[in-house]
């Protein structure tokens, strides 16, 4: 019960205020950009420290994106920027963009696949 209450509070905090000032997308973008910032910002970084920080930032990104997918099931696509914008404006790596859009693409694929499958069954019945 405590976990559900906490996630509801986080969701409402991320959505509070005007649409342009909501925090969910900027936070997602910053978490995705963090890996490149860590890897390419220092000239001779201590490798062990950098690898640990990269792992932690990756974990935080995965956890936050998972939270968004679960809490914003119906509104998930509406809170995301366009894929092109994520690449050109925010300079995100393709693996982050596709990770964020994977649930949307899966839903579209499943819906289209089911429609084609149903149409195929209808065609088979008409041929018989």
């Amino acid at each position: 019960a405590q976990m559900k209450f906490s996630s509801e509070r986080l969701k409402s905090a991320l959505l509070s205020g005007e649409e342009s000032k909501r925090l969910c997308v900027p936070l997602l973008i910053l978490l995705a950009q963090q890996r490149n910032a860590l890897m390419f910002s220092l000239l001779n970084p201590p490798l062990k420290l950098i690898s640990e920080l990269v792992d932690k930032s990756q974990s935080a990104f995965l956890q936050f994106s998972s939270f968004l997918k679960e809490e914003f099931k119906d509104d998930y696509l509406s809170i995301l920027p366009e894929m092109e914008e994520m690449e050109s404006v925010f300079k995100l790596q393709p693996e982050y963009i596709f990770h964020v859009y994977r649930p949307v693409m899966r839903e579209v694929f499943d819906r289209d696949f089911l429609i084609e499958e149903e149409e195929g069954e209808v065609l088979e019945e008409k041929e018989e």
Side-chain angles (χ1 to χ4, degrees):
Q2 180 65 26
M3 184 69 151
K4 181 141 179 85
F5 180 70
S6 298
S7 63
E8 287 297 320
R9 284 184 55 199
L10 178 59
K11 181 180 176 181
S12 66
L14 291 171
L15 290 177
S16 65
E18 299 173 21
E19 189 172 337
S20 62
K21 294 183 180 179
R22 293 183 180 161
L23 293 175
C24 47
V25 172
L27 189 53
L28 183 70
I29 299 296
L30 286 172
L31 286 168
Q33 291 172 337
Q34 186 64 35
R35 183 185 77 167
N36 281 352
L38 285 168
M39 291 175 55
F40 301 115
S41 64
L42 302 173
L43 285 176
N44 287 318
L47 225 40
K48 188 172 182 177
L49 174 63
I50 292 298
S51 64
E52 187 175 322
L53 291 174
V54 166
D55 287 346
K56 286 183 180 184
S57 68
Q58 177 77 13
S59 177
F61 170 77
L62 293 174
Q63 187 176 13
F64 188 68
S65 64
S66 176
F67 170 80
L68 291 179
K69 289 174 212 166
E70 290 299 315
E71 290 297 319
F72 297 95
K73 289 177 184 165
D74 298 331
D75 301 327
Y76 185 68
L77 182 61
S78 66
I79 64 170
L80 295 177
E82 296 291 325
M83 290 177 91
E84 297 84 13
E85 183 181 6
M86 292 177 95
E87 193 274 328
S88 62
V89 175
F90 301 117
K91 308 292 185 217
L92 295 187
Q93 299 295 317
E95 61 265 23
Y96 286 99
I97 297 169
F98 282 105
H99 175 77
V100 168
Y101 268 91
R102 187 171 291 124
V104 176
M105 291 186 286
R106 184 179 300 126
E107 183 180 314
V108 169
F109 176 77
D110 288 347
R111 184 184 63 230
D112 290 349
F113 183 73
L114 290 175
I115 290 172
E116 288 176 12
E117 198 172 83
E118 289 172 1
E119 288 174 355
E121 289 174 7
V122 171
L123 290 176
E124 287 175 10
E125 290 174 9
K126 286 182 180 179
E127 289 175 2
E128 294 175 359

